Amino acid sequence: MSGIPADKCKAPRAFWHAVERLGLPASALLRQARLPATLHLNEHAFVTTAQYFELWRALEDLCPEPALGIRLVEAADTAIHPPSTLAAFHARNYRDGIARIARFKRLCSPEQLHVADEKGECTISSEWLYAKEPTPAVATDVAFAFVVELGRRGTGQHLTPSRVEFRRPDPKSDAHRTYFGCPVRYGAPRDLLVLRSTDLDRPFPGHNPELLEILTPALSAALGELSAQSSSVSR
């Protein structure tokens, strides 16, 4: 387990903001998830993976609609994303943005984004290192929609994946096909987002090297500290 982060997840301010923009009070969501009522007020608070999944399931119970995760991502305000996410929107291009998300994701949670670029396709999947049960569907939707939204907002173009695969049964809704704009397969062996490799080198007009010169060293230092702490605990 050396180098693997502790089982700590953080729900950033952007998450709570997006939830409330959907008309759902944070207090109602926390009550449904049986989590501390003031969790959303503490930016430094952490929960375990199991508790984090409870938060997502509570969201699914209170807002039972197939497009919930997509609506959350669309409602998210880029300006209030945590630094580890904000840096991706100011990357050099789509490829650089995805690489930054994959590299710094574990500063907020013990989740690994697996990215493989070969034969003209870039496949992306997510792995929760401490999960003892399947990832809630809405959490998978948020992860995939966020990567797509990064490309769309970063390039200023309506990019579409090559295809998306979900393990869940077909919800009998066109919400995902409409948003992603590509074939969506249900009942697949695993959850997978597949992008076109040719889209990865599309530049981000909002590239901000000055901001990245500030954020990247700080994020790298935080990641190094986290790795050192994880290695120390595993000994």
Side-chain angles (χ1 to χ4, degrees):
M1 297 289 285
S2 177
I4 297 179
D7 187 10
K8 297 193 301 182
C9 307
K10 180 183 291 186
R13 186 160 58 102
F15 168 79
W16 300 111
H17 181 73
V19 166
E20 292 185 348
R21 287 185 66 175
L22 294 183
L24 180 62
S27 57
L29 179 58
L30 289 167
R31 184 167 55 250
Q32 180 73 15
R34 298 181 180 179
L35 291 173
T38 59
L39 180 67
H40 63 298
L41 301 177
N42 184 355
E43 292 190 17
H44 303 290
F46 285 93
V47 294
T48 64
T49 298
Q51 290 172 321
Y52 197 52
F53 280 12
E54 282 297 331
L55 194 62
W56 288 115
R57 279 191 287 268
L59 195 56
E60 291 177 328
D61 291 340
L62 294 173
C63 301
E65 57 173 289
L68 175 60
I70 293 170
R71 288 182 61 200
L72 275 173
V73 172
E74 291 181 317
D77 183 354
T78 304
I80 61 174
H81 277 306
S84 58
T85 302
L86 182 63
F89 285 92
H90 296 282
R92 183 176 64 259
N93 53 33
Y94 196 11
R95 183 189 304 278
D96 185 28
I98 292 174
R100 290 176 185 276
I101 290 297
R103 180 183 179 190
F104 297 121
K105 198 169 189 62
R106 65 190 184 101
L107 288 175
C108 291
S109 62
E111 177 189 10
Q112 287 187 348
L113 204 63
H114 298 289
V115 182
D117 185 14
E118 57 184 5
K119 297 181 180 178
E121 290 188 335
C122 175
T123 59
I124 299 176
S125 60
S126 175
E127 177 187 6
W128 287 86
L129 303 178
Y130 292 93
K132 296 181 179 178
E133 52 196 316
T135 305
V138 64
T140 298
D141 285 356
V142 165
F144 287 178
F146 176 79
V147 172
V148 171
E149 204 68 19
L150 170 66
R152 290 175 179 175
R153 297 189 190 188
T155 65
Q157 302 174 45
H158 190 75
L159 302 182
T160 58
S162 176
R163 66 182 185 279
V164 182
E165 300 181 5
F166 292 121
R167 288 184 294 181
R168 77 193 72 158
D170 190 337
K172 307 302 179 183
S173 166
D174 288 329
H176 292 83
R177 294 183 180 90
T178 299
Y179 173 77
F180 290 110
C182 68
V184 178
R185 176 190 175 191
Y186 295 98
R190 59 174 177 158
D191 296 315
L192 202 66
L193 172 66
V194 185
L195 306 175
R196 296 176 178 84
S197 296
T198 52
D199 284 336
L200 299 185
D201 293 316
R202 293 181 183 272
F204 280 12
H207 175 45
N208 189 332
E210 292 80 12
L211 178 62
L212 293 178
E213 284 180 6
I214 297 173
L215 292 179
T216 304
L219 292 170
S220 297
L223 193 62
E225 183 178 338
L226 179 63
S227 296
Q229 291 173 351
S230 301
S231 297
S232 177
V233 169
S234 66
R235 290 172 185 167

